[in-house]
Amino acid sequence: MKVLIVEDDKGIVSFLVKGLRAEGYAPFVAENGVVAVDMLASAIDPFDLVLLDLGLPGMTGVEVLQRLRLRDSTLPVIILTAHEGTGEKVRGLDLGANDYVTKPFAFEELLARMRATIRSAIQPASNELVVGDLRFDLQTKIAHRGGRNIELAPREWALLELFMRHPTHVLSRSRILSEVWEYDFDPGSNVVDVYIGYIRRKINLPGLEPMFKTIRGAGYRLI
Ligand code: CA
């Protein structure tokens, strides 16, 4: 799980980085809002969660959130706020933050809120994922496109589901290997490319727009 920590207080940053690593998260740090916006826009593997301080130098946390929500309405964001009951916190929630914790906070409380936020973000509102004209039924594991039902093998549906949960993002081979095959290393095979090929043949039906784009040296993107 990739977590972006947007925080200018070095003490809090090192406390969070150490704690999150120990819990098995992969923490990344942006020390100001401009860097955060840049990292969110350019990350090859998307972040799973953002911890966002509101009191940042230069661009405020609220502005970071505003910009993020213009592009991505689903990435979970937990606000870290210094004061209780301030307008900033309410503003942040109005702008689409998922939750907040008030500093100083207990690390255990933050972890519990992170787990709850990630859980509710992962559970889709319906049983169907939709990207463009491609639909995937999470219950039956059958995809639908161009008026046809598309049967998928287990690895294929896991792979398609991963891409459909991160539409337009570039996903690297190592991320795909770790999420679909649960390898923490690259076994040096072309298994990912082979399976992308299988799915392409199934969903890129004649007359329909091709949906998987190969990003040379980086991975693949579902468009
Ligand atoms: Ca701060």
Side-chain angles (χ1 to χ4, degrees), residues 145 148 150-152 156 193-206 208 210-212:
R145 197 175 184 214
R148 286 211 220 160
I150 303 164
E151 304 266 358
L152 299 163
E156 295 171 356
D193 312 81
V194 169
Y195 272 81
I196 296 269
Y198 292 157
I199 298 184
R200 269 187 171 141
R201 278 198 284 281
K202 290 187 177 181
I203 68 171
N204 292 342
L205 300 164
L208 298 178
M211 286 195 82
F212 272 98

Side-chain angles (χ1 to χ4, degrees), residues 52-201:
L52 179 63
D53 177 30
L54 290 184
L56 295 167
M59 189 190 290
T60 65
V62 165
E63 283 175 82
V64 173
L65 184 59
Q66 246 167 343
R67 293 197 184 204
L68 171 65
R69 285 295 179 247
L70 286 177
R71 283 193 313 106
D72 185 334
S73 58
T74 58
L75 176 60
V77 175
I78 298 179
I79 287 173
L80 308 177
T81 169
H83 336 274
E84 210 148 0
T86 60
E88 285 282 271
K89 184 172 74 189
V90 174
R91 182 102 199 282
L93 292 170
D94 282 345
L95 284 171
N98 301 69
D99 203 352
Y100 67 89
V101 290
T102 306
K103 297 182 207 171
F105 50 83
F107 188 59
E108 287 304 321
E109 185 195 344
L110 176 66
L111 286 178
R113 289 185 182 274
M114 286 174 63
R115 283 192 296 269
T117 302
I118 289 169
R119 216 169 26 239
S120 57
I122 285 172
Q123 265 160 20
S126 78
N127 285 323
E128 197 174 62
L129 297 173
V130 181
V131 176
D133 60 354
L134 175 66
R135 291 182 293 126
F136 177 65
D137 187 317
L138 292 162
Q139 218 113 56
T140 62
K141 309 292 187 192
I142 292 175
H144 309 269
R145 197 175 184 214
R148 286 211 220 160
N149 286 348
I150 303 164
E151 304 266 358
L152 299 163
R155 292 283 188 209
E156 295 171 356
W157 84 53
L159 190 58
L160 185 62
E161 186 178 332
L162 175 67
F163 275 95
M164 291 188 77
R165 286 189 190 278
H166 301 287
T168 77
H169 286 285
V170 180
L171 299 181
S172 66
R173 282 180 184 76
S174 58
R175 166 87 180 246
I176 297 166
L177 282 168
S178 111
E179 299 225 1
V180 177
W181 279 267
E182 291 174 14
Y183 288 149
D184 283 328
F185 59 95
D186 186 341
S189 72
N190 60 349
V191 63
V192 171
D193 312 81
V194 169
Y195 272 81
I196 296 269
Y198 292 157
I199 298 184
R200 269 187 171 141
R201 278 198 284 281

Side-chain angles (χ1 to χ4, degrees), residues 6-9 12 53-57 82 103:
V6 189
E7 170 64 81
D8 60 315
D9 183 317
I12 295 176
D53 177 30
L54 290 184
L56 295 167
K103 297 182 207 171

